[in-house]
Amino acid sequence: MLPMGTIMTGCMIAGLILAIRPAFLKSLPKAINKGVASLVFLAGVWNVFWYWLQHPTEFWGLAALVSGSMMLITAAYIVNCKRMPGWLIKLKPVVLFALLACALLYGITIYRL
């Protein structure tokens, strides 16, 4: 069985890849985009509304709040970035960088275990 941290890291990386939209992924079917966005969204919901609420004052609880929030926004970027508020569209590089930092934090920690 995979640990939850590994699953969260995979969801963060998948969300980053689709939100960046590399040229070779531009022709993906909408169903795949929506499926990955749904997975990223559900992982974000789990991080924010389950893990963080269980551990609000611990380091990993706060990491879950930040990474979960970034995953929720990233899922919206994947589905339809044009419908988002302008200020959130302008913050896309910051949000994706924060999600990358969270993925690295999770990934490096898991590697060191």
Side-chain angles (χ1 to χ4, degrees):
M1 178 139 176
L2 286 174
M4 205 60 192
T6 304
I7 294 168
M8 289 297 130
T9 305
C11 290
M12 286 183 232
I13 292 170
L16 279 169
I17 291 170
L18 280 185
I20 291 171
R21 289 274 190 238
F24 66 92
L25 291 179
K26 289 194 188 266
S27 62
L28 278 178
K30 287 185 180 181
I32 292 177
N33 284 335
K34 287 184 179 182
V36 172
S38 298
L39 182 67
V40 172
F41 181 80
L42 289 174
V45 167
W46 186 88
N47 258 4
V48 172
F49 296 109
W50 190 86
Y51 196 86
W52 176 65
L53 288 175
Q54 299 279 328
H55 311 276
T57 59
E58 298 174 11
F59 174 79
W60 286 108
L62 295 174
L65 174 64
V66 172
S67 64
S69 300
M70 296 304 111
M71 282 192 281
L72 293 172
I73 297 168
T74 300
Y77 286 144
I78 294 169
V79 173
N80 194 351
C81 189
K82 294 176 184 171
R83 296 182 119 198
M84 298 178 76
W87 64 272
L88 207 48
I89 293 171
K90 289 179 184 176
L91 282 179
K92 184 176 180 179
V94 175
V95 170
L96 296 181
F97 182 77
L99 188 58
L100 174 64
C102 291
L104 288 172
L105 173 68
Y106 279 54
I108 291 169
T109 302
I110 291 167
Y111 176 76
R112 288 182 178 172
L113 294 177

